[in-house]
Amino acid sequence: MNGKSPYIRMRDVSRVYDELNIGIIITNGQGIIIWGNRYYSKLAQFDIRTYFGRDVREISQREDVSLPTESYMIDTVLKTRQSQTEVVRYRTTDYVLTTGIPIFNENQEIDFVIYSITNYSELMNLQEAVSKSAMQALALETHLRNIQIDQNIGKDIILSDRQMFNIYGKALRLAPTSVSVMLTGESGTGKDVLAKFIHQSSLRKDENFIHVNMATIPPALFESELFGYAPGSFTGAAKNGKNGLIQLANNGTLFLDEIGELPLDIQAKLLQVIQNKEIRAIGALEATPVDFRIICATNRDLLQMVKDHEFRLDLYYRLNTIELSLPPLRQRPTDIPLLATFFLNRYNRQNRCKKHLSSDVLHLFSRYSWPGNVRELQHTIESLVVLCPTDTITPDQLPEDITGGHPDDPLAAPGGLESMTLKESVALLETRMIRAALDTTESAVQAARKLGIDASTLSKKRKRYGL
């Protein structure tokens, strides 16, 4: 011990307050100034000591002090018995942030009012400097994130479009978390590829990734496929029972593709599994704990389905913690030639070919709207590689939808429909509508629904027209 008192003396308190970079004025309960520090004098450019023992309102009455209102802050503080903050302007043209704080005694009477005064202009300048630093940091962060995306994206993911790059950047940031993700967008935009990317970038990457396409499961089998069943649960059940797809995703990722196809009764059971983190198979006496990350995808308007009472609102919010919407291929023109080349190389390797696309073909590709998106482009390239008789793929070998019509198109020929019988024109229209529906949906069931017919009728028509 050096023998000095551990307590600070009042005159030393004043000396410490004088060194603060915040102005301080102290008044009694009637607004008479008791003390003020040196920084306030510097800020206001007059000596606060000349006002000791005087009414604080006199400062507000100075010509070089501009108040935001006609009332004095001291009166508002004494009346409301609460802290008040205002922006005051002094002769320096600086804006000053002033806060009056009442100090109460044991009888809840105001003994003192403390004014703290901060140079708001200095704060704004500091904020601007911090903002510039933040912008530089953000630019650096974006650059590093882009490098990270490039390192995480596999060779089967082709990205050039800035919007898609940003989507994959968001996916990379949320991947390590456990939040549920909803992937939306037209059919064929690559929602399944993005879902797998999230899984492979997550902490669960070494566990199962279970992809369940709801559109391919018959309604009668939804429950047994998703939740499984115990031995002897029903006639025809496997002797040893069966684990459901949800249980297979334990510790991994469950990707529910076309979630809008899930029936309402199964929606309720899925919601229970998500809430309770346990699953009860059909016929099982006890529930089994499960832990999985859920990713869903749909090309339907789930909120409209909620309004139409076709989808549960509580399940919608459980599944849609974060939504990533993939743009259609027609809005990503820079990706089209890259994707076309990627698929061309893939099918050249598979078929031991050396086909290449002419510049005219790539030009037509960039102009086409691709209603079936990436999936349609992929199927188009595959068929061209297989069917094209020469190594160079030229416009005359493209489907008429892409070329915008062909000279031997019956509708483009002289006479058009007038030269065709009713049966021939109906067959032509049905063929085109069925082909378009199949190209823009993920299953025959969805295509039939889009056409307004049942699946069996669609099957018969496909056989009739060779589709």
Side-chain angles (χ1 to χ4, degrees):
M1 297 290 290
N2 56 14
K4 291 186 177 180
S5 170
Y7 303 104
I8 189 169
R9 295 171 297 183
M10 286 306 300
R11 66 171 178 268
D12 293 327
V13 171
S14 297
R15 188 160 55 88
V16 170
Y17 283 174
D18 269 335
E19 298 302 319
L20 292 177
N21 284 332
I22 296 176
I24 296 177
I25 298 176
I26 302 176
T27 76
N28 64 13
Q30 288 73 46
I32 304 302
I33 297 175
I34 300 173
W35 185 82
N37 73 342
R38 185 182 303 159
Y39 183 81
Y40 178 81
S41 297
K42 177 183 176 182
L43 184 65
Q45 293 193 355
F46 58 79
D47 193 343
I48 185 60
R49 291 177 298 181
T50 62
Y51 282 86
F52 287 1
R54 297 164 61 180
D55 196 315
V56 71
R57 297 172 183 84
E58 294 184 35
I59 294 179
S60 301
Q61 294 167 359
R62 291 175 58 100
E63 292 183 358
D64 54 2
V65 176
S66 300
L67 302 180
T69 63
E70 294 182 357
S71 59
Y72 299 120
M73 180 182 289
I74 186 68
D75 295 327
T76 305
V77 171
L78 294 177
K79 181 179 179 180
T80 63
R81 299 168 61 84
Q82 294 179 348
S83 299
Q84 299 293 323
T85 299
E86 294 178 352
V87 177
V88 180
R89 191 170 185 180
Y90 287 77
R91 71 166 67 183
T92 59
T93 71
D94 284 338
Y95 289 93
V96 173
L97 197 66
T98 303
T99 300
I101 306 170
I103 306 298
F104 299 91
N105 60 25
E106 58 186 10
N107 297 322
Q108 293 303 301
E109 298 169 335
I110 297 178
D111 269 352
F112 305 100
V113 175
I114 297 180
Y115 287 81
S116 65
I117 302 97
T118 306
N119 191 327
Y120 188 64
S121 297
E122 287 184 359
L123 287 178
M124 292 298 290
N125 293 336
L126 178 60
Q127 183 180 16
E128 183 179 356
V130 171
S131 178
K132 289 180 179 179
S133 297
M135 290 173 64
Q136 294 173 348
L138 179 61
L140 178 59
E141 178 188 356
T142 301
H143 177 67
L144 293 175
R145 185 171 68 246
N146 290 345
I147 293 175
Q148 189 179 14
I149 294 172
D150 287 334
Q151 292 174 342
N152 281 270
I153 288 177
K155 61 181 181 180
D156 292 338
I157 300 177
I158 307 300
L159 292 182
S160 172
D161 179 76
R162 176 53 50 187
Q163 187 177 356
M164 285 293 289
F165 210 83
N166 290 338
I167 289 171
Y168 271 80
K170 291 178 182 178
L172 187 61
R173 291 196 297 273
L174 63 85
T177 71
S178 59
V179 298
S180 58
V181 183
M182 179 69 71
L183 308 180
T184 60
E186 296 178 9
S187 179
T189 50
K191 297 185 287 292
D192 55 337
V193 176
L194 179 56
K196 189 168 291 185
F197 172 79
I198 294 173
H199 169 73
Q200 292 173 343
S201 303
S202 74
L203 302 178
R204 301 171 184 262
K205 61 183 179 182
D206 295 325
E207 304 293 341
N208 287 337
F209 174 81
I210 304 298
H211 182 175
V212 185
N213 192 329
M214 300 298 187
T216 63
I217 302 177
L221 298 181
F222 266 116
E223 188 170 11
S224 61
E225 288 294 314
L226 289 177
F227 306 104
Y229 54 83
S233 301
F234 51 86
T235 302
K239 181 175 65 175
N240 297 325
K242 177 184 176 182
N243 285 336
L245 294 170
I246 294 177
Q247 193 166 350
L248 291 178
N250 189 36
N251 297 322
T253 300
L254 178 67
F255 176 41
L256 300 180
D257 203 355
E258 296 302 333
I259 188 66
E261 305 301 319
L262 196 63
L264 280 170
D265 58 329
I266 307 300
Q267 291 178 28
K269 192 165 184 178
L270 176 62
L271 178 64
Q272 188 175 20
V273 171
I274 296 172
Q275 289 176 335
N276 300 335
K277 297 186 181 300
E278 59 181 22
I279 186 170
R280 188 187 299 274
I282 298 173
L285 298 178
E286 297 182 357
T288 303
V290 287
D291 172 33
F292 57 89
R293 203 271 185 76
I294 190 165
I295 302 175
C296 296
T298 184
N299 58 8
R300 303 181 66 181
D301 187 345
L302 291 186
L303 280 179
Q304 184 59 49
M305 292 182 66
V306 169
K307 295 176 183 178
D308 295 338
H309 306 290
E310 297 176 352
F311 203 88
R312 293 179 63 106
L313 181 62
D314 46 5
L315 179 60
Y316 172 81
Y317 284 117
R318 279 284 186 175
L319 300 178
N320 198 21
T321 304
I322 293 178
E323 180 176 336
L324 297 177
S325 182
L326 277 73
L329 187 57
R330 61 183 173 275
Q331 295 178 9
R332 303 155 44 191
T334 58
D335 282 351
I336 293 175
L338 295 178
L339 286 165
T341 303
F342 171 77
F343 292 130
L344 182 70
N345 292 336
R346 171 190 288 181
Y347 294 118
N348 270 337
R349 287 193 301 270
Q350 290 183 6
N351 296 279
R352 298 180 180 179
C353 298
K354 295 182 179 180
K355 306 290 176 68
H356 62 272
L357 302 171
S358 71
S359 59
D360 290 337
V361 167
L362 289 174
H363 177 66
L364 288 169
F365 278 178
S366 65
R367 292 176 54 189
Y368 182 53
S369 62
W370 298 105
N373 293 294
V374 178
R375 186 180 295 110
E376 183 184 358
L377 174 60
Q378 178 181 355
H379 292 167
T380 298
I381 296 294
E382 182 179 17
S383 64
L384 288 172
V385 169
V386 173
L387 298 176
C388 181
T390 62
D391 285 345
T392 302
I393 299 172
T394 54
D396 59 299
Q397 293 155 350
L398 298 179
E400 61 187 44
D401 290 340
I402 297 177
T403 60
H406 199 271
D408 60 358
D409 185 341
L411 295 182
L417 285 173
E418 296 178 3
S419 64
M420 302 171 62
T421 65
L422 177 61
K423 184 176 181 180
E424 289 172 339
S425 60
V426 170
L428 177 63
L429 181 60
E430 284 191 335
T431 300
R432 290 186 173 181
M433 290 184 66
I434 291 172
R435 184 182 290 118
L438 292 171
D439 284 341
T440 56
T441 56
E442 295 187 353
S443 68
V445 174
Q446 288 181 313
R449 184 183 297 115
K450 185 173 184 177
L451 292 167
I453 59 178
D454 57 54
S456 61
T457 300
L458 176 60
S459 178
K460 293 176 183 177
K461 289 183 180 294
R462 292 180 67 183
K463 290 180 181 179
R464 181 190 308 167
Y465 300 128
L467 300 175

